[in-house]
Amino acid sequence: MARKFYPTDLTNMEWEILSPLIPPAKEGGHPRTTDMREICNAIYYHLKTGCQWNMLPGDFPPSSTVYN
């Protein structure tokens, strides 16, 4: 099932600008298991709506992951 679209989601053009600014995963550590675009989408949703971290919709990554 596809994730619900939110008005705060990054467009492809916005993601192309933002993605080079996100540092890569550390060498020797575990590979990332969470999509960084989804993390950014969740952060923008939180900023725009003002909801509490633990009240992020369930189709975003876990709030503890997004917050950290």
Side-chain angles (χ1 to χ4, degrees):
M1 186 170 133
R3 184 179 74 76
K4 178 182 174 184
F5 172 79
Y6 293 98
T8 55
D9 284 353
L10 292 167
T11 64
N12 289 336
M13 186 179 294
E14 290 169 335
W15 179 242
E16 285 179 29
I17 295 168
L18 183 61
S19 63
L21 302 174
I22 297 173
K26 294 179 182 176
E27 287 188 35
H30 292 285
R32 284 192 175 137
T33 56
T34 306
D35 181 14
M36 293 307 291
R37 185 173 183 168
E38 288 302 305
I39 297 288
C40 291
N41 284 335
I43 291 170
Y44 291 136
Y45 180 88
H46 169 73
L47 291 173
K48 184 69 174 179
T49 64
C51 73
Q52 296 174 354
W53 284 111
N54 63 348
M55 301 207 46
L56 283 173
D59 47 358
F60 284 123
S63 59
S64 59
T65 302
V66 176
Y67 181 82
N68 289 329

